[in-house]
């Protein structure tokens, strides 16, 4: 009975863990609970089946666990989305391998077992190859090739899908060899489905693939006859779907348009290049010094951080600047778009890394009405999430996406390397507005200059040494 | 394979587990989307249980190696996933706590 208690305990802890992960206060403890649940599950299983084959178990545990821990400690916070994609792909690969292995066992599988093997191979393969493509795209090792935007890709994917089903049929008819072409075709299908999706939509795809890996795990649970695995897989699969839906809502995209609509902005041929430098008119640019003078006179300042800020490793300089302005009595907050960074919530993580208190991070719906009362907005390495076209131009691929309405503020400074288009490859009308000034340069350098200039102006040295020594 | 599990029971478990998953996550503050995805992802590595069963039941070393490889990839997912999630969550602090 000891095993049963452990397994039930594991399910309970998993449920509590998933629930707790959705609240800031409990999230960290909940993560620990979920990890404990997995430990209980493993102990329960080993009590049940004994330690037969322990050297092999030790090998897998040591190598896999060791490498996982190593990567987890080494990876930079900016690379988090692609890291999650990599982990997810490995989970899918594991389900795939288990299913193939289980099909080779001498004990014949019943129909349900066979169908489960097929489901596990199919979903596991798609998860694996799809996650690797997603990782490649986020790392910018892979682009979005032009041919993937042609309508023929649907024909190719449909053919692949039909072919996988044919292979499934053959396996059920007793042709076990058909598992090999099934695996290859499913892997290709994963690539075929993920490659056409534009970089900006990649987080949604990762979230969906995360849900798939849960489904693959549940299928593996059917194969080996483990209720615990079925419950846990089903929970993660369902929770992943909800999270995917939440992300789609935040970007005002439907799941079908993300998956089958192709990359945003890539459709008009050559549009991405054509819209670059020469496309902008009446752009004003200014130096960091001028920006500092405006800042000094402001009462309310809002920063809009984007992925560019994180790439430049400028979070810490930004925090320093915010502190200086606060010492001067200037109200400072950070406007966080739901999909700032490369994944919803990614920017919060990046700013938390720089010790920015999370109650200064204001969500879009709360801060949008505040912009008309804001003196200065500084946009740092963000682009598509502040594009006014999303509200005004029905022909824009961004149309309808909720954006931060920074164009309502009195003055806007956009810190950017050049006038290049954003991650989604779409031009930004904000740059041409009369109240907008571009500050060209690397985010970190611009912030450092701003700090120097403000200090030279005497900002932050308010009465009775309140600031200086900190 | 634990023969105790009948097909219908397994399907019930699947349906109820899915419903539980749909209910558990309702409103999530955007701050937590990335950690939640990462944590859920670590949990999906629970497929390591299947790998352990495979190792125990495999009659040949080749098949055991397949099981061990599957176990390795699953554990990479689990250990890496939980640690990375913890690293992210450890950074959330309230104002004034530092």
């Amino acid at each position: 009975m000891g095993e049963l208690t452990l397994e039930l305990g594991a399910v309970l802890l998993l449920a509590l863990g998933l629930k707790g992960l959705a609240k800031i206060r409990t999230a960290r403890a909940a993560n620990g609970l979920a990890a404990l649940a997995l430990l209980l599950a493993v102990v329960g299983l080993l009590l049940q089946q004994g330690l037969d084959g322990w050297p092999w178990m030790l090998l897998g545990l040591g190598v896999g666990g060791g490498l996982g821990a190593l990567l987890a400690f080494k990876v930079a916070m900016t690379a988090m989305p692609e890291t999650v994609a990599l982990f997810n792909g490995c989970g899918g690969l594991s389900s795939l391998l288990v299913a193939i292995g289980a099909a080779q066992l001498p004990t014949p599988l019943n129909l349900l077992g066979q169908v489960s093997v097929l489901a596990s191979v199919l979903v596991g393969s798609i998860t694996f190859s799809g996650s690797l493509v997603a990782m490649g795209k986020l790392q910018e090792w892979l682009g979005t090739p032009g041919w993937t935007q042609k309508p023929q890709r649907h024909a190719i994917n449909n053919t692949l899908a039909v072919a996988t089903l044919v292979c499934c049929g053959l396996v059920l008819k007793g042709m076990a060899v058909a598992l090999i072409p099934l695996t290859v075709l499913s892997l290709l299908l994963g690539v075929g489905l993920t490659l056409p999706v534009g970089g900006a939509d990649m987080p949604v795809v990762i979230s969906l693939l995360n849900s798939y890996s849960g489904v693959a795990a549940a299928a593996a649970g059917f194969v080996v006859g483990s209720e615990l695995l079925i419950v846990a897989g089903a929970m993660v699969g369902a929770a992943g779907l909800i999270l995917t839906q939440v992300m789609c809502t935040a970007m005002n995209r439907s799941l079908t348009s993300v998956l089958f609509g192709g990359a945003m902005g890539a459709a008009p041929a050559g549009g991405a290049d054509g819209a670059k430098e020469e496309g902008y008119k009446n752009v004003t640019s200014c130096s960091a010094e001028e920006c500092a003078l405006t800042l000094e006179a402001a009462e309310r300042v809002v920063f809009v951080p984007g992925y560019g800020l994180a790439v430049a490793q400028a979070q810490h300089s930004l925090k320093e600047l915010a502190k200086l302005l606060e010492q001067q009595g200037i109200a400072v907050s950070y406007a966080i778009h739901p999909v700032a960074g490369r994944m919803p919530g990614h920017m919060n993580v990046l700013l938390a890394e720089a010790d920015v208190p999370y109650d200064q991070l204001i969500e879009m719906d709360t801060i949008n009405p505040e912009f008309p009362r804001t003196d200065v907005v500084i946009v740092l390495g963000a682009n598509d999430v502040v594009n006014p076209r999303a509200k005004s131009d029905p022909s824009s691929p961004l149309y309808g996406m909720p954006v931060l309405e920074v164009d309502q503020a009195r003055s806007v400074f956009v810190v950017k390397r050049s006038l290049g288009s954003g991650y989604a490859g779409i031009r930004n009308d904000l740059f041409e507005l009369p109240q907008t000034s571009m500050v060209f340069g690397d985010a970190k350098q611009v912030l450092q200059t701003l700090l120097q200039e403000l200090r030279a102006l005497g900002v932050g040295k308010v009465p009775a040494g309140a600031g200086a020594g900190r | 394979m634990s023969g105790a599990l009948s097909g219908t029971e397994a399907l019930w478990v699947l349906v109820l587990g899915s419903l539980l998953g749909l209910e558990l996550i309702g409103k999530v503050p955007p701050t937590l989307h990335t950690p939640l995805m990462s944590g859920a992802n670590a949990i999906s590595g629970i497929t390591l249980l299947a790998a352990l069963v495979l190792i125990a039941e495999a009659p040949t070393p080749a098949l055991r190696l397949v099981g061990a490889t599957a176990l390795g990839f699953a554990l990479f997912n689990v250990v890496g996933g939980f640690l990375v999630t913890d690293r992210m969550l450890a950074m959330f602090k309230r104002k004034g706590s530092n």
Side-chain angles (χ1 to χ4, degrees):
Chain A
M1 283 322 275
E3 308 96 78
L4 186 62
T5 321
L6 283 177
E7 289 200 341
L8 288 176
V11 173
L12 194 67
L13 288 183
L14 275 183
L16 287 176
L18 262 179
K19 193 164 176 59
L21 269 172
K23 288 198 195 68
I24 292 181
R25 279 173 189 285
T26 52
R28 197 175 179 195
N31 185 52
L33 280 187
L36 180 65
L38 256 64
L39 185 66
L40 289 185
V42 170
V43 174
L45 183 71
L46 291 180
L47 280 178
Q48 200 180 324
Q49 71 172 27
L51 288 173
D52 198 17
W54 64 268
W56 297 97
M57 294 178 187
L58 219 55
L59 180 73
L61 288 171
V63 176
L67 288 179
L70 194 68
L71 180 63
F73 284 119
K74 291 268 172 192
V75 70
M77 279 297 148
T78 42
M80 213 38 86
E82 43 267 52
T83 309
V84 175
L86 176 64
F87 285 141
N88 193 48
C90 290
L93 179 58
S94 176
S95 294
L96 165 67
L97 287 173
V98 167
I100 290 182
Q104 317 302 319
L105 288 173
T107 28
L109 292 163
N110 60 12
L111 183 64
L112 184 65
Q114 282 182 332
V115 173
S116 311
V117 166
L118 294 174
S120 195
V121 169
L122 184 68
V123 183
S125 304
I126 293 178
T127 307
F128 175 56
S129 61
S131 297
L132 289 194
V133 170
M135 181 182 90
K137 289 199 138 194
L138 286 164
Q139 282 276 15
E140 297 185 0
W141 292 337
L142 289 176
T144 308
W147 59 266
T148 59
Q149 299 303 315
K150 301 210 173 93
Q152 287 93 317
R153 74 173 189 278
H154 295 303
I156 297 176
N157 284 338
N158 288 339
T159 315
L160 281 172
V162 170
T164 54
L165 290 182
V166 171
C167 290
C168 289
L170 289 177
V171 175
L172 289 179
K173 288 265 178 204
M175 267 186 65
V177 205
L179 268 182
I180 299 168
L182 174 63
T183 312
V184 176
L185 290 169
S186 315
L187 287 171
L188 286 175
L189 188 56
V191 176
L193 288 172
T194 322
L195 203 55
V197 179
D201 285 332
M202 214 31 80
V204 174
V205 173
I206 297 183
S207 174
L208 188 66
L209 289 170
N210 180 32
S211 166
Y212 286 179
S213 69
V215 174
F222 274 99
V223 175
V224 300
S226 158
E227 289 102 331
L228 178 55
L229 192 43
I230 300 175
V231 173
M235 273 194 324
V236 171
L241 268 186
I242 299 268
L243 191 57
T244 310
Q245 193 53 51
V246 169
M247 288 188 193
C248 281
T249 316
M251 300 165 79
N252 196 35
R253 299 269 276 152
S254 74
L255 193 53
T256 35
S257 67
V258 168
L259 293 181
F260 306 113
M264 287 198 295
D273 304 78
K276 274 188 183 168
E277 319 275 335
E278 70 268 22
Y280 288 107
K281 281 176 284 190
N282 307 325
V283 172
T284 15
S285 72
C286 78
S287 63
E289 289 80 2
E290 293 167 272
C291 180
L293 288 169
T294 320
L295 268 181
E296 188 209 7
E299 279 174 19
R300 294 174 60 86
V301 175
V302 174
F303 293 109
V304 179
Y307 188 70
L309 172 89
V311 171
Q313 286 290 312
Q315 310 91 299
H316 297 274
S317 310
L318 176 59
K319 158 107 203 271
E320 222 179 312
L321 176 63
K323 207 165 168 183
L324 194 71
L325 293 175
E326 280 183 319
Q327 284 164 14
Q328 182 75 7
I330 299 170
V332 177
S333 46
Y334 303 79
I336 309 292
H337 190 273
V339 292
R342 296 227 163 144
M343 201 181 257
H346 189 203
M347 189 49 61
N348 305 67
V349 172
L350 295 172
L351 288 176
E353 193 189 12
D355 281 332
V356 173
Y358 70 69
D359 36 15
Q360 275 186 3
L361 311 183
I362 318 289
E363 285 169 31
M364 179 175 65
D365 295 336
T366 319
I367 199 140
N368 265 346
E370 301 283 321
F371 280 121
R373 300 198 290 121
T374 302
D375 301 307
V376 179
V377 167
I378 302 189
V379 179
L380 293 143
N383 190 344
D384 298 322
V385 298
V386 291
N387 194 338
R389 268 201 182 198
K391 287 180 299 177
S392 59
D393 177 8
S395 69
S396 166
L398 289 176
Y399 185 69
M401 179 175 98
V403 287
L404 290 162
E405 294 162 7
V406 298
D407 50 321
Q408 306 289 317
R410 284 190 197 108
S411 51
V412 181
F413 293 93
V414 179
V415 180
K416 219 172 167 305
R417 282 174 179 278
S418 70
L419 277 175
S421 44
Y423 194 51
I426 298 156
R427 67 179 269 129
N428 194 338
D429 290 352
L430 177 72
F431 304 164
E432 290 177 337
L433 294 176
Q435 70 268 42
T436 305
S437 308
M438 308 293 297
V439 185
F440 290 115
D442 170 80
K444 190 168 185 175
Q445 257 160 18
V446 170
L447 285 170
Q448 294 288 357
T449 322
L450 274 178
L451 273 168
Q452 281 169 15
E453 291 296 325
L454 285 169
R455 287 205 178 104
L457 288 168
V459 170
K461 286 180 199 149
V462 219
R470 288 208 282 169
Chain B
M1 327 248 144
S2 67
L5 187 65
S6 83
T8 18
E9 275 172 28
L11 289 172
W12 273 112
V13 172
L14 178 73
V15 171
L16 294 175
S18 308
L19 288 177
L20 182 59
L22 290 177
E23 282 305 312
L24 279 177
I25 297 179
K27 282 191 190 131
V28 189
T31 312
L32 286 177
H33 284 177
T34 295
L36 177 61
M37 191 198 286
S38 161
N41 171 47
I43 296 175
S44 70
I46 195 170
T47 190
L48 72 95
L49 295 182
L52 285 172
V53 174
L54 181 62
I55 293 177
E57 304 219 346
T60 60
L63 215 45
R64 290 199 157 177
L65 184 61
V66 173
T69 315
L71 182 63
F73 278 110
L75 223 76
F76 180 71
N77 184 355
V78 170
V79 174
F82 280 127
L83 286 177
V84 147
T85 312
D86 189 65
R87 245 185 87 189
M88 284 192 259
L89 293 171
M91 294 183 308
F92 291 124
K93 284 178 192 150
R94 276 189 174 276
K95 197 173 184 174
S97 68
N98 59 323

